[in-house]
Amino acid sequence: MRITFSLVFGLVVLLWAGGASAQEAALQKGKQVYDYWCATCHGEGPGKPGTTALAAKYKESGLPGLLEARTNLTPQSVRFFIRNGASIMPFFRKTEVSDADVDAIAAYLTRPKPAAPPVAPQAVRP
Amino acid sequence: MAVLPPGVSQRDFSAAIAQFQSAVGKDWVFTSDPDVALYRDAYSPAWGQAEERLASAAVAPDSTEQVQQIVRTANIYKIPLFPISTGKNLGYGGSAPNLSGSVVVDLKRMNRILEVDDVRHYALVEPGVAYFDLYRHIQEKKLNVWIDTPDPGWGSVMGNALDHGVGYTTSQFRNHFDAHCGMEVVLANGEVMRTGLGAVPGSKTWQDYKYGFGPTVDGLFAQGNYGIVTKMGIWLMPAPEAYTSGTVSVAKHDDLIRLVEMVNYLENLGISNGMPGFGFALGAGGGRGGPGVQPDAQLAALLGREGGPDIAELERYAAANNRAFWTCRLQFYGPKTVVAAQWEYAKSRLAAIPGSRATDGPSYDFPLTPEQLARVQQVAFGVPNMSIFSIGARTERNPTPSSGHVWFSPIIPRTGEGILESQKVLWQAGRDAGIPFNRFAMPATYYSRAFIYIIGIPITRNVETDRKNRDGFRQLIKVAAEHGWVEYRTAPLYQDNVMDTYSFNNHALRRFCETMKEAVDPNGIMAPGRSGIWSKRHPRARA
Ligand SMILES: Cc1cc2nc3c(=O)[nH]c(=O)nc-3n(C[C@H](O)[C@H](O)[C@H](O)COP(=O)(O)OP(=O)(O)OC[C@H]3O[C@@H](n4cnc5c(N)ncnc54)[C@H](O)[C@@H]3O)c2cc1C
């Protein structure tokens, strides 16, 4: 949630400052779809089994468990895992994540990584 | 094209697909192999084997009218359909049909939250609404209600309830089908029907009063194959003020009998309204009663004893080490002073068990702070999440993750005797079937009147292991049924086996369901084989 807020905030600032290019809009869309479909398992913090699993998988190689922190993902690999799944992660149907959504997630995850933006607190109920 | 519906020519199939396309638009009919493969059960116990159930195509409508058009076309060309809401029924069948060749009707696009009333405490939703969606909607609108969510937050309010799914808050809401109120259904002939008060034009109480007048038919559409549900009401919980919890532990094996008896009393009287969690206190995980302790060498040897642990030895170990044998965590939701008093009363009553001990657990005032929320079991507070998917996943301690699991989930009586007997019998049955599990597995208490074991049998995608596990699963179903314990829900692969166990009076229940099936669905187009209910057009394939 904190990541969601801060990155969206960052992107909004970007758009405001620099004018909305198609590429930025695509990234924003990618971030949105990623947050909805992926971050619930692959986000940061406790209770994120995707992040835990990848951290265990890449322990030796030192790659981060957090997908958003990876710098070696390709659009092809992102597409492969969304449509094929991996161990307990199932594949996703096109009514869930459309081909355009897959492209947006891939663009988001493979974007040049910006410096970490400030974290804004967010109220959570209950 | 990998598979066609049984008895349907390629020409008729193509004509049906064309009509589906004109009903929902070309983009929302899936026929290519890679697209249709996305409707496989990702946790199929028969992945890539002849037994695996596969769709022929999928069609994704966006409205009740489109669902009607699909059903009418299916009747013309005798195309079997299989509806899914969000299709996340992993462990119980995923999004794959019972009958290979069925066209999956994927309702994910129908994802509108039609109403949330935080005065009368209900919601009216379409099939594609996930728990995450309903939760976010309530948060954004700052409505004064909680949802009751199962472990996976991505499933649907509707699909979960229709497969008799369950959650974690108070007893009135954990049983999701029980908490539904009113449906809109597209029947097998394409007509739209509303149940309960929805059948009254201008009714103001569709989501408040379940029965309407005359027979209550809602149950036919849960685990059934008589129609496609397109709207459903669900009762919500008014946001409570506070929560408290505590754990009671008992010292002896047979103390479980009184412990369950007393907890039943507290629960059925509404004194403890949260989900109780019974645990085996000498186990590493502690069962569902809370965290256990990693066994030392002596305990590990006792638990691993050839032929099974000796109860007297375990009791001696527990006594010598000042350890309990069983625990039960109790949870209370409501006004702060009331939950505190309820826990005090529960403690005083449970103190009647000689040697029992009560420990206060966490208490919270709502809303939780983000820090509190990060620490708790979120589903117990109506907050959907995905943390349960750590089961079987890769971790540092589990370098070989599974490819999912199917749930073996028999219903047993809500007594200590019921637990003790079923633990022994099922443990032995698991060993005999080649799928060993914990000798002291504890049943879950989602349903407030019966216990249910939820035992995960891993999927390996190794042909031989999965075949052995399928045989083993069927054997477990049989042995359990011989003791009067039957599944509450199961994957399509095992639905005939489970329906076979509901055999009173020469399978009168199944025969009644199949008689109705012929009457309301003469072309047998609606989810043939769902729950072991077949039809003349699609008779059960007997091995
Ligand atoms: C790790 C793990 C933990 C789980 N924990 C829980 C849990 O705590 N509680 C729980 O209940 N389950 C649990 N499950 C099982 C399952 O994931 C959930 O029940 C999930 O909500 C079901 O998927 P769904 O909501 O997408 O339903 P769907 O897959 O959409 O539907 C389920 C079935 O209902 C029928 N159906 C669906 N929609 C319609 C319709 N509109 N009309 C007619 N029939 C329809 C179909 O037969 C369908 O196959 C768990 C699974 C896993 C893997």
Side-chain angles (χ1 to χ4, degrees):
Chain A
M1 269 310 188
R2 283 181 358 200
I3 291 197
T4 314
F5 184 90
S6 53
L7 277 168
V8 169
F9 178 73
L11 285 167
V12 167
V13 169
L14 240 166
L15 291 174
W16 181 48
S21 76
Q23 202 191 1
E24 283 157 354
L27 283 185
Q28 195 169 7
K29 160 94 174 146
K31 169 70 185 155
Q32 244 172 32
V33 186
Y34 180 87
D35 277 343
Y36 186 87
W37 281 108
C38 318
T40 49
C41 283
H42 287 283
E44 215 168 3
K48 300 294 186 300
T51 303
T52 310
L54 291 177
K57 182 170 181 178
Y58 295 122
K59 193 171 176 219
E60 302 297 310
S61 64
L63 285 176
L66 192 65
L67 285 177
E68 285 170 297
R70 291 272 291 275
T71 51
N72 67 338
L73 295 173
T74 62
Q76 291 77 4
S77 61
V78 172
R79 181 170 298 111
F80 177 86
F81 285 108
I82 294 172
R83 294 287 184 234
N84 291 274
S87 87
I88 60 139
M89 170 182 145
F91 31 82
F92 291 82
R93 311 188 305 276
K94 291 191 173 176
T95 51
E96 299 175 304
V97 184
S98 67
D99 285 338
D101 289 343
V102 174
D103 291 343
I105 295 172
Y108 171 67
L109 287 178
T110 58
R111 77 200 182 285
K113 299 286 181 296
V119 169
Q122 176 155 347
V124 181
R125 296 193 315 145
Chain B
M1 174 66 56
V3 56
L4 275 179
V8 175
S9 68
Q10 179 65 58
R11 218 182 72 186
D12 280 359
F13 187 67
S14 302
I17 292 291
Q19 288 200 9
F20 292 152
Q21 285 171 337
S22 72
V24 303
K26 275 201 161 90
D27 285 351
W28 299 111
V29 180
F30 302 104
T31 53
S32 75
D33 286 350
D35 288 357
V36 177
L38 299 173
Y39 290 85
R40 291 175 76 175
D41 174 8
Y43 291 7
S44 171
W47 185 264
Q49 304 305 299
E51 266 196 80
E52 186 183 353
R53 311 292 167 89
L54 298 167
S56 56
V59 51
D62 188 34
S63 66
T64 300
E65 293 70 29
Q66 291 185 3
V67 174
Q68 289 182 273
Q69 289 180 51
I70 292 164
V71 170
R72 289 193 194 111
T73 297
N75 273 299
I76 296 169
Y77 298 103
K78 316 288 185 279
I79 308 287
L81 302 175
F82 186 81
I84 58 169
S85 286
T86 44
K88 289 287 179 234
N89 209 5
L90 297 163
Y92 295 115
S95 42
N98 283 78
L99 177 73
S100 278
S102 300
V103 172
V104 174
V105 181
D106 181 345
L107 301 161
K108 178 66 203 168
R109 294 176 65 217
M110 293 175 65
N111 60 357
R112 286 160 282 244
I113 296 168
L114 300 167
E115 193 184 352
V116 179
D117 187 317
D118 73 345
V119 174
R120 290 189 286 173
H121 309 128
Y122 67 75
L124 179 67
V125 295
E126 289 190 337
V129 174
Y131 288 98
F132 280 131
D133 302 329
L134 185 55
Y135 176 76
R136 284 170 191 154
H137 176 94
I138 289 167
Q139 295 288 300
E140 278 164 22
K141 302 245 178 298
K142 301 197 184 328
L143 299 172
N144 201 29
V145 278
W146 279 23
I147 63 166
D148 185 278
T149 175
D151 267 314
W154 61 8
S156 52
V157 176
M158 185 184 292
N160 182 279
L162 293 181
D163 206 11
H164 298 166
V166 286
Y168 287 87
T169 65
T170 66
S171 49
Q172 275 188 67
F173 302 96
R174 293 198 300 271
N175 172 347
H176 294 162
F177 185 71
D178 203 41
H180 101 278
C181 189
M183 289 177 179
E184 177 184 271
V185 189
V186 174
L187 299 172
N189 63 3
E191 243 184 345
V192 181
M193 178 179 80
R194 288 187 174 177
T195 68
L197 265 297
V200 179
S203 156
K204 306 278 189 297
T205 45
W206 189 19
Q207 271 59 64
D208 302 294
Y209 184 78
K210 289 186 187 196
Y211 303 130
F213 187 69
T216 305
V217 296
D218 296 46
L220 295 174
F221 306 102
Q223 295 190 355
N225 49 13
Y226 302 98
I228 299 179
V229 184
T230 48
K231 292 184 181 68
M232 191 188 80
I234 188 89
W235 285 348
L236 302 172
M237 173 163 148
E241 178 189 308
Y243 165 95
T244 197
S245 62
T247 298
V248 174
S249 56
V250 293
K252 297 227 156 42
H253 177 260
D254 286 359
D255 287 344
L256 185 62
I257 294 165
R258 286 207 66 202
L259 182 62
V260 175
E261 201 180 294
M262 288 190 175
V263 171
N264 285 357
Y265 176 86
L266 294 170
E267 221 191 335
N268 287 2
L269 204 53
I271 292 167
S272 171
N273 58 358
M275 183 169 169
F278 290 95
F280 171 57
L282 300 173
R288 295 169 188 272
V293 183
Q294 205 58 32
D296 59 22
Q298 186 193 358
L299 179 56
L302 293 178
L303 291 171
R305 182 175 170 274
E306 187 51 42
D310 179 275
I311 301 299
E313 276 180 6
L314 283 179
E315 281 185 337
R316 278 196 293 278
Y317 172 91
N321 291 277
N322 196 25
R323 296 271 299 273
F325 206 104
W326 308 106
T327 58
C328 181
R329 186 178 60 143
L330 294 174
Q331 306 185 84
F332 307 82
Y333 300 78
K336 195 168 177 165
T337 49
V338 174
V339 293
Q342 283 168 321
W343 170 226
E344 282 309 314
Y345 176 76
K347 278 198 278 197
S348 68
R349 205 172 165 89
L350 286 154
I353 304 175
S356 69
R357 274 183 238 168
T359 319
D360 294 348
S363 294
Y364 301 109
D365 295 334
F366 298 124
L368 297 177
T369 64
E371 293 71 31
Q372 287 170 331
L373 191 64
R375 276 202 311 271
V376 297
Q377 185 197 11
Q378 296 184 356
V379 285
F381 300 94
V383 182
N385 66 89
M386 294 295 289
S387 62
I388 193 71
F389 278 80
S390 56
I391 293 183
R394 188 191 300 270
T395 60
E396 285 196 26
R397 282 157 91 193
N398 178 24
T400 49
S402 71
S403 297
H405 29 258
V406 276
W407 305 110
F408 173 60
S409 43
I411 307 159
I412 65 153
R414 191 167 159 237
T415 61
E417 291 95 334
I419 299 179
L420 297 179
E421 187 196 359
S422 55
Q423 280 182 333
K424 211 154 71 180
V425 170
L426 295 177
W427 172 75
Q428 187 58 50
R431 281 163 64 105
D432 294 345
I435 20 186
F437 44 80
N438 190 348
R439 166 67 177 80
F440 295 104
M442 298 306 287
T445 55
Y446 304 107
Y447 279 87
S448 59
R449 292 288 177 146
F451 291 148
I452 300 184
Y453 282 104
I454 307 284
I455 296 171
I457 314 283
I459 304 298
T460 65
R461 294 204 186 166
N462 172 297
V463 174
E464 196 37 43
T465 309
D466 285 350
R467 189 199 55 72
K468 190 179 70 79
N469 286 351
R470 290 199 297 280
D471 292 347
F473 199 104
R474 293 191 165 105
Q475 205 175 314
L476 282 174
I477 291 171
K478 252 176 99 177
V479 173
E482 282 160 15
H483 290 80
W485 310 317
V486 288
E487 301 291 281
Y488 90 109
R489 173 181 185 188
T490 201
L493 219 57
Y494 305 121
Q495 286 177 9
D496 285 334
N497 307 98
V498 169
M499 195 42 133
D500 283 348
T501 65
Y502 285 71
S503 60
F504 171 77
N505 192 18
N506 186 25
H507 304 272
L509 177 66
R510 179 170 61 208
R511 288 186 288 111
F512 178 70
C513 290
E514 291 190 341
T515 305
M516 274 195 293
K517 179 82 178 150
E518 291 302 332
V520 302
D521 182 14
N523 292 320
I525 55 139
M526 197 59 77
R530 182 63 168 99
S531 302
I533 302 162
W534 296 90
S535 65
K536 289 203 177 95
R537 176 169 296 274
H538 296 294
R540 173 175 171 182
R542 294 184 198 267

